[in-house]
Amino acid sequence: MMKYKFILLFFILLICVSNAEQKIFQKIHQNKIKREFSRSEFSELKSPEVDSSDPKWLRNMNYDQWISDMKNSFEHGNYSKWASSVNKQMNVEEMVQGVNDLYKSSASCIGCKFLVNMARIMMQKGKSNDQILDIGTKICNVFKIQTPRVCEGVMKIIGVDVVDVVRHSNLKGSQICRFFLGQPCVNGYAAQHDWNITIFPAKEPKIRYPLTKPSEKVPPLKILQISDTHFDPLYEVGSNADCGEPLCCRASSGAPNSTKSAAGKWGDYRKCDTPLILLENAIKHIVKTHKDIDAIYWTGDLPPHDVWVQTREDNIANLKFTSKLMAKYFKGIPVFPSVGNHESVPVDGFAPPHAPPHKNMSWLYDQLAVEWSRWLPTKTHETIRKGAFYSTLLKKGFRVISVNGNYCSRMNFYLLWNSTDPLDQLAWLSKELQSAEDKGEKVHIIGHIPPGGKECLKSWSSSYYDIIN
Ligand SMILES: *[C@@H]1O[C@H](CO)[C@@H](O)[C@H](O)[C@H]1NC(C)=O
Ligand SMILES: *[C@@H]1O[C@H](CO)[C@@H](O)[C@H](O)[C@H]1NC(C)=O
Ligand SMILES: *[C@@H]1O[C@H](CO)[C@@H](O)[C@H](O)[C@H]1NC(C)=O
Ligand SMILES: *[C@@H]1O[C@H](CO)[C@@H](O)[C@H](O)[C@H]1NC(C)=O
Ligand SMILES: *[C@@H]1O[C@H](CO)[C@@H](O)[C@H](O)[C@H]1NC(C)=O
């Protein structure tokens, strides 16, 4: 888990729900599938929500005092007063440690709620998004969560969109924390994120048990899976591999303070991504030693971890370059790609259709359709352009379905608005599987984010398992 995620979290936490969302929310339709959305939940937003189940200090903390201390401290370059007052209230060290396992540590949930409560008060006092972003950057700096340029860049690239999303969410603070962190946040159930999909058309499969093994004469298939190549075009041998940022080993990482800190020729096990020489040689080696590969599952995460400076253009260039490399070496071998969470800018942000139009994903999905068309039939373009998922035959009787797991990811902050089966992907999956079953096809489902994992939203996961089981 990269530390930038915590900065993101910090941010999410800092920004809160204003009172003005009702209008926007009225535009979002009622959930027709299982429940009516209760409008009474909006009224609670009128006053800062404080969970009675939260620790006393968290409920009673004088956030106003804290904020004014902070302001003074920032202006006079002396952080001790407010920093120590916060430290007294909570174990900041443990919180910062908790960053490394966001989904396990209850400290990350306390930290989340602390900041949400604080941000709520800031919003009530009419603070603008820029002022909140600014405080976010300062907190990131003061707690040395990242270097100043990373703090600032993350706020600019990721924070801006997170502000936008949280501003238009109707959720309480505890519900927001529960959405992003899951398990560690015991409270914060939100009915709108608890949904089921109706499985289409819910026919019982005609499978006879026990299943019979294929005969020995049936030749096995050899499938190569490649994932998370994270090719870094700016990797530089000899640069600082121990730079304290989410990504090192670049000229911009500064000079190494000893030969031990210098980036190696073939890459580096510290905070570094993949140099071209490693990627290219690994592929060449595979081609040489495995001449009988039947197909490749290529499960995403192509760009490097420089999420605080990344641009859409960078990521598209990386997609084009890496796709070309794959095609060059794996000549004539079918490749079945999936999209990872790093393909988007901001990282993890894959806007569903209810997001504002200018956030639409066509900049990425149209390009995926183009690059993937090397290996996939034109029939797949429609769903790729819609949501970066597709279904196609690997060979007769054997289907590959590639899903876009970013629509189940807790880190996909756009889903805070509405996480109900984004783009009807699960409904589509259930139809595809039914049709495959009707035709007697076998199916592999590939993707980047595993359903059932901590990062995947519970409703999406359980609906997924309902479908495949
Ligand atoms: C979320 O979006 C779906 C359509 O994708 C809609 O059916 C549902 O009612 C929405 N849920 C809420 C809580 O607005
Ligand atoms: C910082 O402020 C505190 C009081 O808030 C004071 O006791 C301390 O001396 C100050 N430190 C510096 C370095 O100015
Ligand atoms: C979804 O389905 C599960 C299992 O059938 C059930 O336990 C749960 O209550 C359902 N959730 C909703 C929101 O309907
Ligand atoms: C070199 O840098 C690393 C990490 O930035 C640090 O832990 C270490 O103490 C430094 N060594 C010296 C000799 O400055
Ligand atoms: C998608 O966003 C781009 C800008 O990124 C815009 O040019 C385009 O018109 C948008 N498309 C739709 C369908 O809203």
Side-chain angles (χ1 to χ4, degrees):
M1 191 62 50
M2 304 293 296
K3 282 228 171 108
Y4 77 81
K5 286 208 168 154
F6 195 58
I7 307 172
L8 168 61
L9 172 69
F10 248 83
F11 216 158
I12 288 157
L13 319 175
L14 265 176
I15 305 144
C16 218
V17 186
S18 76
N19 299 330
E21 312 47 273
Q22 278 132 330
K23 240 188 240 156
I24 288 136
F25 229 76
Q26 273 156 9
K27 283 195 212 146
I28 300 182
H29 314 292
Q30 300 282 305
N31 185 340
K32 290 191 198 80
I33 300 166
K34 290 281 180 199
R35 63 175 69 251
E36 287 293 299
F37 191 79
S38 154
R39 218 157 275 278
S40 66
E41 295 196 24
F42 293 121
S43 57
E44 292 178 57
L45 295 172
K46 291 203 174 95
S47 58
E49 170 259 335
V50 180
D51 281 351
S52 53
S53 54
D54 285 340
K56 202 167 168 214
W57 67 264
L58 186 61
R59 273 181 277 144
N60 299 341
M61 169 126 184
N62 189 341
Y63 294 96
D64 262 353
Q65 182 62 44
W66 199 75
I67 291 163
S68 99
D69 275 7
M70 262 201 304
K71 191 166 170 284
N72 271 332
S73 304
F74 292 140
E75 278 164 9
H76 302 111
N78 175 357
Y79 305 121
S80 66
K81 193 176 169 194
W82 69 266
S84 66
S85 91
V86 173
N87 263 302
K88 251 186 256 157
Q89 307 286 350
M90 58 182 168
N91 191 342
V92 173
E93 218 163 273
E94 194 193 333
M95 267 176 54
V96 175
Q97 286 299 311
V99 182
N100 290 322
D101 201 347
L102 283 183
Y103 304 116
K104 252 194 199 153
S105 159
S106 58
S108 54
C109 190
I110 295 274
C112 177
K113 290 194 281 194
F114 169 81
L115 289 163
V116 167
N117 280 352
M118 188 186 75
R120 179 149 287 157
I121 288 166
M122 285 174 73
M123 287 221 167
Q124 285 189 331
K125 292 197 177 302
K127 302 282 183 211
S128 70
N129 287 348
D130 280 348
Q131 285 170 309
I132 292 166
L133 285 165
D134 189 47
I135 294 285
T137 309
K138 283 170 174 160
I139 290 180
C140 178
N141 283 330
V142 167
F143 285 113
K144 296 199 172 14
I145 292 167
Q146 272 299 337
T147 61
R149 62 179 180 180
V150 175
C151 288
E152 198 180 319
V154 165
M155 297 302 158
K156 259 195 199 133
I157 294 177
I158 308 173
V160 166
D161 276 20
V162 176
V163 174
D164 202 41
V165 168
V166 179
R167 257 210 188 279
H168 300 115
S169 160
N170 70 323
L171 294 182
K172 299 177 190 177
S174 56
Q175 293 171 317
I176 291 174
C177 293
R178 167 77 170 214
F179 177 88
F180 286 111
L181 298 173
Q183 291 294 313
C185 291
V186 181
N187 302 308
Y189 170 84
Q192 75 181 80
H193 290 299
D194 186 6
W195 47 266
N196 284 326
I197 71 151
T198 311
I199 296 171
F200 178 88
K203 242 193 278 171
E204 276 301 311
K206 287 172 275 173
I207 296 175
R208 273 189 212 99
Y209 292 98
L211 297 171
T212 47
K213 252 170 90 178
S215 90
E216 298 291 319
K217 279 181 225 145
V218 178
L221 279 180
K222 190 186 236 185
I223 293 170
L224 168 70
Q225 185 183 359
I226 298 187
S227 200
D228 294 68
T229 43
H230 291 293
F231 160 55
D232 184 4
L234 300 180
Y235 186 97
E236 198 162 293
V237 179
S239 64
N240 190 5
D242 204 3
C243 70
E245 291 183 338
L247 178 64
C248 304
C249 293
R250 290 178 157 192
S252 59
S253 312
N257 63 5
S258 75
T259 49
K260 268 194 185 156
S261 302
K265 175 180 171 186
W266 295 98
D268 201 287
Y269 281 123
R270 287 162 287 191
K271 290 279 166 73
C272 299
D273 279 325
T274 313
L276 180 58
I277 187 173
L278 172 63
L279 181 60
E280 200 161 18
N281 274 269
I283 294 177
K284 276 184 188 166
H285 177 81
I286 296 167
V287 170
K288 205 168 84 190
T289 42
H290 300 274
K291 297 198 185 298
D292 52 348
I293 294 170
D294 294 292
I296 297 170
Y297 295 164
W298 186 30
T299 46
D301 262 13
L302 318 185
H305 289 85
D306 59 342
V307 297
W308 73 99
V309 287
Q310 210 157 53
T311 64
R312 287 177 175 183
E313 290 72 28
D314 291 342
N315 282 14
I316 294 299
N318 201 306
L319 165 71
K320 287 183 175 173
F321 183 89
T322 317
S323 303
K324 218 168 148 188
L325 202 70
M326 293 286 288
K328 177 178 164 192
Y329 288 107
F330 295 116
K331 274 204 192 74
I333 305 177
V335 175
F336 300 90
S338 271
V339 68
N341 61 310
H342 275 271
E343 267 75 320
S344 193
V345 176
V347 65
D348 298 309
F350 291 74
H354 60 251
H358 68 282
K359 299 281 177 209
N360 75 70
M361 297 301 298
S362 59
W363 67 273
L364 176 62
Y365 294 170
D366 286 355
Q367 207 59 50
L368 289 176
V370 170
E371 294 301 320
W372 292 356
S373 68
R374 285 184 174 87
W375 305 291
L376 302 174
T378 321
K379 272 193 306 209
T380 59
H381 287 192
E382 192 190 327
T383 52
I384 294 170
R385 293 176 62 139
K386 177 183 173 196
F389 51 84
Y390 61 86
S391 165
T392 190
L393 285 178
L394 193 154
K395 57 193 279 182
K396 193 168 178 295
F398 184 13
R399 181 168 293 278
V400 174
I401 298 181
S402 177
V403 297
N404 183 350
N406 294 297
Y407 292 118
C408 87
S409 168
R410 292 186 182 282
M411 284 290 156
N412 187 357
F413 39 85
Y414 295 113
L415 302 184
L416 195 64
W417 284 329
N418 183 337
S419 66
T420 305
D421 193 15
L423 297 161
D424 298 322
Q425 184 180 205
L426 289 170
W428 167 87
L429 174 66
S430 116
K431 265 190 204 170
E432 281 298 317
L433 285 176
Q434 186 62 55
S435 129
E437 199 164 276
D438 294 344
K439 291 182 235 162
E441 293 166 353
K442 302 269 191 291
V443 178
H444 278 184
I445 301 175
I446 63 171
H448 183 77
I449 295 173
K454 293 191 188 81
E455 285 179 54
C456 185
L457 289 161
K458 210 167 151 251
S459 291
W460 204 97
S461 286
S462 60
S463 297
Y464 175 85
Y465 285 108
D466 280 350
I467 292 168
I468 63 167
N469 286 332

